[in-house]
Amino acid sequence: GEDVEQSLFLSVREGDSSVINCTYTDSSSTYLYWYKQEPGAGLQLLTYIFSNMDMKQDQRLTVLLNKKDKHLSLRIADTQTGDSAIYFCAEILYSSASKIIFGSGTRLSIRP
Amino acid sequence: NAGVTQTPKFRILKIGQSMTLQCTQDMNHNYMYWYRQDPGMGLKLIYYSVGAGITDKGEVPNGYNVSRSTTEDFPLRLELAAPSQTSVYFCASSYSQSASGNIQYFGAGTRLSVL
């Protein structure tokens, strides 16, 4: 079946790195996404990775993909208060490109 | 550039009432989507549309209807509101449904309570 799982909460100290983890079940996933949702707002695409890649880096963001274990992670370096949000992992299936499966979201809170 | 605009932002309905959630986009995207987000859950797809005049069911279509008479607008209709429809509703659009192009742009959401 299709399922994307994430832990619900993560708390980190300002300036530390945050690592948000995600597991997915469908091996036919072609693209995997990270979306960010700030309070009272819709989801905004942060970054994505194609399934034939292991890593993608974009400024403070690093995405790691372990296709064998179906594990995706998002690392945010030097976490700032503005990074407080809910982060959603999502996958798109080769068999149904219209269907994106979202995880339940990880709420990231920043301690001073 | 407004992107995806949803109205209203908040609404309280009584059981059995009906309402339409409005969604419009100004990016000339063919593909539009309606999701609901329940607390602690991911987004569930209600309906989607691949272009004007064409709509299709998602994972959780029961209790909802949609129409797509123009490229810009994709309203979601609740005919007989039930407490189980209390949720936050998001509209999204994308320029493509190919795996490489299905980057969805979201509206700010409509928070609906049915009492």
Side-chain angles (χ1 to χ4, degrees):
Chain A
E2 307 148 356
D3 200 9
V4 176
E5 294 191 354
Q6 305 176 237
S7 54
L8 290 181
F9 301 100
L10 178 66
S11 176
V12 300
R13 195 180 302 278
E14 187 175 4
D16 287 352
S17 292
S18 306
V19 180
I20 303 171
N21 294 302
C22 168
T23 57
Y24 59 98
T25 54
D26 200 303
S27 58
S28 69
S29 296
T30 53
Y31 280 83
L32 295 122
Y33 304 87
W34 284 104
Y35 279 84
K36 178 182 181 182
Q37 184 184 28
E38 295 181 349
L43 280 68
Q44 185 174 18
L45 182 68
L46 262 186
T47 187
Y48 64 94
I49 188 167
F50 186 48
S51 58
N52 69 353
M53 298 169 66
D54 298 324
M55 185 181 87
K56 181 178 180 181
Q57 188 150 5
D58 183 3
Q59 299 182 339
R60 292 191 298 122
L61 305 179
T62 303
V63 179
L64 294 177
L65 176 61
N66 181 329
K67 203 171 177 186
K68 174 176 169 289
D69 294 338
K70 299 190 184 74
H71 183 266
L72 182 74
S73 67
L74 173 69
R75 179 177 178 268
I76 305 172
D78 187 24
T79 309
Q80 303 298 310
T81 54
D83 295 323
S84 291
I86 301 175
Y87 292 82
F88 290 90
C89 172
E91 62 174 346
I92 191 167
L93 307 179
Y94 178 80
S95 58
S96 176
S98 63
K99 191 174 179 183
I100 295 183
I101 311 295
F102 287 88
S104 55
T106 299
R107 184 180 295 274
L108 176 63
S109 62
I110 315 301
R111 305 191 302 272
Chain B
N1 192 345
V4 179
T5 303
Q6 291 183 240
T7 56
K9 291 193 188 309
F10 306 94
R11 185 72 184 267
I12 298 174
L13 284 182
K14 293 182 179 177
I15 294 172
Q17 284 187 317
S18 60
M19 78 162 292
T20 299
L21 283 68
Q22 302 291 345
C23 176
T24 188
Q25 51 91 10
D26 62 1
M27 297 175 281
N28 202 32
H29 286 170
N30 280 325
Y31 305 94
M32 295 188 74
Y33 314 83
W34 273 106
Y35 294 91
R36 59 178 287 171
Q37 183 184 29
D38 298 324
M41 306 288 285
L43 278 70
K44 299 291 185 186
L45 183 65
I46 305 171
Y47 271 96
Y48 67 99
S49 170
V50 301
I54 306 169
T55 63
D56 210 345
K57 295 178 181 179
E59 292 179 80
V60 290
N62 292 342
Y64 306 94
N65 278 300
V66 293
S67 59
R68 186 94 183 272
S69 56
T70 66
T71 299
E72 294 79 17
D73 300 308
F74 189 40
L76 178 72
R77 178 95 179 148
L78 283 70
E79 290 294 351
L80 291 169
S84 61
Q85 294 178 305
T86 294
S87 190
V88 181
Y89 291 84
F90 288 101
C91 179
S93 71
S94 66
Y95 72 90
S96 169
Q97 278 198 325
S98 68
S100 61
N102 196 344
I103 293 172
Q104 298 190 8
Y105 297 82
F106 284 80
T110 296
R111 186 176 296 273
L112 177 68
S113 295
V114 182
L115 305 176

